[in-house]
Amino acid sequence: MYLCKKNVMNKQYFFKIVIVLCIITFTQIRVNGQKLKDFQCDYGWYVLPENSNYSINCFVDLCTKSYNFSDRDSLFWEVIDLNRDSTLSINQNVYRLKHLFNGIEVENSQITFFEKDGYVQFAYGELYDGIHLDINISIPKISDNLSLENAKKVIEGEYAWNNSKVENYLKELTEDSTATFSPLASNILIKKIDTTYHLVNQWTICTIDTLNGIDEYIVDVDAFSGNVINVNKEIFNSIGNCENAEVITLYYGKQYDMKTKHIAPWVYGLKNCNKLATTDFINLTRYTFGQTSFLVDSDNIWTSVEERPATTAHWAACKIQNYFINKCSLGGRPIQLIVNSTKHNNAYYSIDYFSSISGRNSYNKIEIGISDRGNYYSTVDIIAHEYGHGIIRHTSNLDNKGESGAINESFADIFAILAENHILGRNDWTIGEDVGEILRDVKNPICDYYLGTNWVNTSDVSSSNDNGGIHTNSGVQNRWFFLVASEIGLNKAGKLAFATQKILNRTSKYRDVRNLSIILAENLWGRCSEEYNAVVEAWYEVGVSLRNATWYCSNGHHIMPNMFLPKFVDCSLNNTISIYPNPVGNLLFVDLPQKATVCIVDVNGQTLHAYELDKGRHSIDVSNLISGVYFVRCNNEVEKIVKIK
């Protein structure tokens, strides 16, 4: 039986736990008849009263009793270690509560929670229930062979495991004689598609294209019917130590600390000393993996002009990896780095081979292309951006589409800015300037306001819409980071970004990044400190927070903005701003004395629409809103409105 009192277990014991399985049954103690949603203050966010005394075990019990679970549902929690970087000094413990059904993990069904002094304070996420109503485990499953054959039917192209050159290349790259592209086993999981749960065999199928390299398909096959229910394609065109070498780089002059490996008498190679994969140089019009060339040198002085795209990228990748490992306690997974003259106007990161096959070697791959001007993307900031995607995949694993994909892109941009500052001493806030073009401007992004001007529709996640505008909408968080760093310094802002990213989950939205960063800022520097105020104010400036820091601190709120809707200022009482009618039907009128940003916000604090309006009278069409209560924010004032049909 779990006891609802302060957890007295030693904190050090918690940090040594990798995964602790908590078997929950319905015979356990009742938690005052409360359910988790009784504490919901924002969509998917929960704040427990300070006097509730919910220990970890008690909180898990609360979660179990809040959902329609069967005796086959169970929960387990794991530690999210934020203290690997001792300079952070996070004095809260963070855990992720995951969901199993019949011992199989339920994708995206999880809750992250914060514990301090034995009590749970905050939590965010969602657990799925009613799985037993869709999945009958007594029904026999199809065989793995039939499941794989059905998965292969939806894939066109030559299978990578049937190409001997590709198979041998993989064995050499991973230094594993058993490595193969063959899908030896599937990943078993439960997925929620629309409103229905499916038990799936998730197969990773790789095909070979002589022009584009390796394509990876993730195919979900229903384990009972054998029907293919989902297919995702990941393109493997992307970047993926031991003596110091002298090298002349493309953009950074002569350097004396490129890492190489002494592979034979008088022979040095661009190989990673820690077996973090081979650095390849591809400089062919068309290529297959069997035609790659490994660069070697007799005296470890690399000056050849033809080699510079590869040696520059290799030098940069080594510096970047050392930064993330030593400075930030992040990174360290194997990398394959390819410099490819046939790839124009892009650099790519791809997920690691064998990511879903237990026991196999895996590595991240980064491919560096060339611009139309003939300049290779072998730069510190571009490679650091792609490397950042690898870090994100193995921490929060943010999605690569929609709002979550925009956050993913933004964190990769932020990591690139931090790495470039550390390695080169720069603070230019741009990515790609060394190749003669600005690929991303963190200070002045195209889209710098949530749902505002230039915001791309996130519901359309097609490739033609940039997967829901991920490279454009990322500008909101980029601008936030610039504003925070301008106030508290790049070092503090970077620490906050690293810690926040690690706590996110695959489907996190901007509201989650906002809330988590504010929780951590309060924990690190104190509520209403200079740093805390900078974080809150920046979210307000980019339209993700409803109120600015001055308002929240002056009104004594200890919870992050939007967690509780405060008593709002009536804009109609102001002599200069008028909002009417109220209640409103299809048209809302706003009179402004000067140019302003006007936002429509729902009761959960989510900004639904944002308009940049000039001085004068404006009509806003609200016919698409359902009946209910909304808020209109204009500058620092907010009015509650009622929408009626």
Side-chain angles (χ1 to χ4, degrees), residues 478-498:
N478 283 357
R479 177 66 180 174
W480 166 82
F481 181 76
F482 166 75
L483 292 172
V484 173
S486 298
E487 292 295 325
I488 69 175
L490 194 61
N491 187 41
K492 287 183 178 179
K495 291 177 180 178
L496 180 66
F498 283 130

Side-chain angles (χ1 to χ4, degrees), residues 59-121:
F59 176 75
V60 174
D61 187 64
L62 170 67
C63 292
T64 302
K65 296 185 184 306
S66 300
Y67 293 90
N68 182 20
F69 282 175
S70 71
D71 57 358
R72 294 191 177 274
D73 291 278
S74 59
L75 303 174
F76 71 93
W77 48 271
E78 61 185 12
V79 177
I80 301 177
D81 186 3
L82 296 180
N83 285 301
R84 289 181 62 187
D85 182 354
S86 59
T87 62
L88 277 174
S89 301
I90 301 293
N91 58 11
Q92 279 186 319
N93 299 324
V94 185
Y95 304 92
R96 182 167 286 131
L97 186 65
K98 292 190 174 182
H99 181 192
L100 301 178
F101 178 78
N102 202 42
I104 301 171
E105 184 169 344
V106 183
E107 184 181 61
N108 294 332
S109 181
Q110 60 186 37
I111 287 180
T112 301
F113 61 95
F114 300 77
E115 172 266 327
K116 185 177 181 181
D117 298 330
Y119 300 124
V120 176
Q121 295 183 315

Side-chain angles (χ1 to χ4, degrees), residues 103-358:
I104 301 171
E105 184 169 344
V106 183
E107 184 181 61
N108 294 332
S109 181
Q110 60 186 37
I111 287 180
T112 301
F113 61 95
F114 300 77
E115 172 266 327
K116 185 177 181 181
D117 298 330
Y119 300 124
V120 176
Q121 295 183 315
F122 304 105
Y124 89 99
E126 181 183 10
L127 293 174
Y128 298 157
D129 61 2
I131 298 175
H132 60 284
L133 301 178
D134 287 341
I135 297 180
N136 184 355
I137 61 172
S138 64
I139 300 176
K141 299 189 291 292
I142 64 172
S143 68
D144 286 350
N145 288 337
L146 177 58
S147 177
L148 177 58
E149 288 304 311
N150 289 348
K152 290 162 61 178
K153 289 178 181 178
V154 301
I155 305 301
E156 297 181 354
E158 178 189 357
Y159 299 129
W161 60 88
N162 289 336
N163 187 304
S164 60
K165 289 184 177 180
V166 171
E167 286 283 276
N168 292 333
Y169 174 81
L170 183 64
K171 289 176 172 59
E172 179 179 359
L173 184 66
T174 60
E175 299 184 8
D176 180 359
S177 61
T178 66
T180 176
F181 283 105
S182 179
L184 302 178
S186 66
N187 183 30
I188 309 296
L189 73 158
I190 293 170
K191 300 191 70 168
K192 186 178 183 181
I193 300 178
D194 295 327
T195 59
T196 305
Y197 299 104
H198 297 265
L199 176 64
V200 304
N201 296 107
Q202 188 175 80
W203 296 96
T204 301
I205 299 178
C206 294
T207 61
I208 178 69
D209 185 305
T210 56
L211 180 61
N212 294 320
I214 296 292
D215 291 341
E216 180 183 82
Y217 295 85
I218 307 298
V219 185
D220 296 326
V221 180
D222 190 287
F224 298 111
S225 68
N227 295 329
V228 174
I229 57 178
N230 194 41
V231 180
N232 285 323
K233 181 181 179 180
E234 297 286 351
I235 301 176
F236 272 81
N237 292 325
S238 25
I239 225 187
N241 266 308
C242 341
E243 301 182 23
N244 287 332
E246 180 180 326
V247 60
I248 298 178
T249 66
L250 288 175
Y251 310 110
Y252 313 111
K254 183 177 289 188
Q255 301 291 334
Y256 300 92
D257 58 350
M258 184 175 75
K259 301 299 181 182
T260 59
K261 188 174 183 179
H262 196 194
I263 57 178
W266 303 289
V267 178
Y268 297 85
L270 296 185
K271 284 180 173 287
N272 197 302
C273 293
N274 296 321
K275 296 184 178 180
L276 298 183
T278 303
T279 301
D280 298 338
F281 175 48
I282 301 176
N283 191 20
L284 304 170
T285 303
R286 294 174 63 88
Y287 72 93
T288 67
F289 278 84
Q291 295 173 322
T292 61
S293 59
F294 305 104
L295 294 184
V296 296
D297 189 270
S298 61
D299 59 4
N300 216 18
I301 299 176
W302 304 74
T303 59
S304 170
V305 174
E306 293 78 12
E307 296 173 348
R308 287 178 191 175
T311 54
T312 303
H314 181 78
W315 172 82
C318 289
K319 303 289 284 187
I320 290 163
Q321 188 172 63
N322 287 338
Y323 167 70
F324 283 117
I325 293 175
N326 300 326
K327 182 70 175 179
C328 311
S329 300
L330 294 171
R333 294 190 70 85
I335 307 171
Q336 180 198 11
L337 172 64
I338 291 180
V339 179
N340 179 11
S341 64
T342 68
K343 291 299 174 186
H344 283 268
N345 294 321
N346 220 327
Y348 301 84
Y349 162 78
S350 60
I351 64 176
D352 49 346
Y353 297 103
F354 311 124
S355 58
S356 61
I357 302 176
S358 177

Side-chain angles (χ1 to χ4, degrees), residues 335-626:
I335 307 171
Q336 180 198 11
L337 172 64
I338 291 180
V339 179
N340 179 11
S341 64
T342 68
K343 291 299 174 186
H344 283 268
N345 294 321
N346 220 327
Y348 301 84
Y349 162 78
S350 60
I351 64 176
D352 49 346
Y353 297 103
F354 311 124
S355 58
S356 61
I357 302 176
S358 177
R360 291 292 187 184
N361 289 335
S362 62
Y363 62 91
N364 298 315
K365 177 182 175 185
I366 302 174
E367 185 164 351
I368 300 301
I370 189 173
S371 73
D372 285 338
R373 300 179 181 183
N375 297 323
Y376 281 88
Y377 290 127
S378 301
T379 68
V380 168
D381 50 7
I382 293 175
I383 297 175
H385 171 96
E386 305 302 341
Y387 192 100
H389 281 307
I391 291 174
I392 294 165
R393 173 165 175 77
H394 296 289
T395 48
S396 60
N397 193 25
L398 280 159
D399 210 341
N400 63 351
K401 59 187 177 182
E403 196 167 319
S404 305
I407 297 168
N408 189 330
E409 284 297 325
S410 175
F411 274 115
D413 288 343
I414 291 169
F415 292 171
I417 293 297
L418 292 167
E420 186 181 53
N421 175 263
H422 177 80
I423 296 169
L424 301 177
R426 294 182 184 174
N427 198 13
D428 51 30
W429 298 106
T430 57
I431 298 174
E433 67 278 358
D434 287 325
V435 298
E437 54 185 303
I438 304 300
L439 303 178
R440 206 71 51 80
D441 190 334
V442 173
K443 179 180 178 180
N444 296 300
I446 297 174
C447 177
D448 62 0
Y449 201 87
Y450 186 66
L451 298 180
T453 303
N454 297 325
W455 178 268
V456 178
N457 177 20
T458 58
S459 61
D460 177 7
V461 295
S462 63
S463 58
S464 61
N465 195 44
D466 190 27
N467 288 350
I470 61 175
H471 292 95
T472 300
N473 297 342
S474 59
V476 172
Q477 183 172 278
N478 283 357
R479 177 66 180 174
W480 166 82
F481 181 76
F482 166 75
L483 292 172
V484 173
S486 298
E487 292 295 325
I488 69 175
L490 194 61
N491 187 41
K492 287 183 178 179
K495 291 177 180 178
L496 180 66
F498 283 130
T500 302
Q501 185 275 142
K502 291 174 73 173
I503 313 176
L504 297 173
N505 58 43
R506 186 171 180 80
T507 58
S508 291
K509 303 294 188 292
Y510 269 122
R511 64 170 179 269
D512 302 318
V513 187
R514 173 200 68 200
N515 292 345
L516 287 170
S517 63
I518 295 172
I519 288 175
L520 291 173
E522 179 175 347
N523 185 283
L524 285 167
W525 302 297
R527 181 170 61 89
C528 296
S529 63
E530 177 185 356
E531 294 85 354
Y532 174 92
N533 289 346
V535 173
V536 177
E537 189 71 25
W539 284 125
Y540 174 76
E541 290 293 328
V542 298
V544 181
S545 281
L546 192 63
R547 290 283 185 175
N548 61 18
T550 301
W551 192 94
Y552 274 91
C553 287
S554 63
N555 284 272
H557 288 270
H558 70 286
I559 307 301
M560 68 288 297
N562 298 13
M563 294 294 278
F564 293 120
L565 291 176
K567 180 179 179 181
F568 291 98
V569 178
D570 189 346
C571 286
S572 62
L573 299 178
N574 190 295
N575 294 327
T576 59
I577 299 176
S578 180
I579 298 176
Y580 57 92
N582 194 6
V584 61
N586 294 327
L587 288 179
L588 181 70
F589 294 93
V590 180
D591 290 344
L592 297 174
Q594 59 187 10
K595 184 176 180 180
T597 299
V598 176
C599 302
I600 297 180
V601 182
D602 66 15
V603 293
N604 292 318
Q606 284 296 103
T607 301
L608 304 178
H609 301 286
Y611 308 91
E612 293 184 2
L613 304 178
D614 292 324
K615 176 182 178 180
R617 177 173 297 179
H618 304 271
S619 62
I620 298 176
D621 184 0
V622 293
S623 60
N624 63 327
L625 300 180
I626 63 174

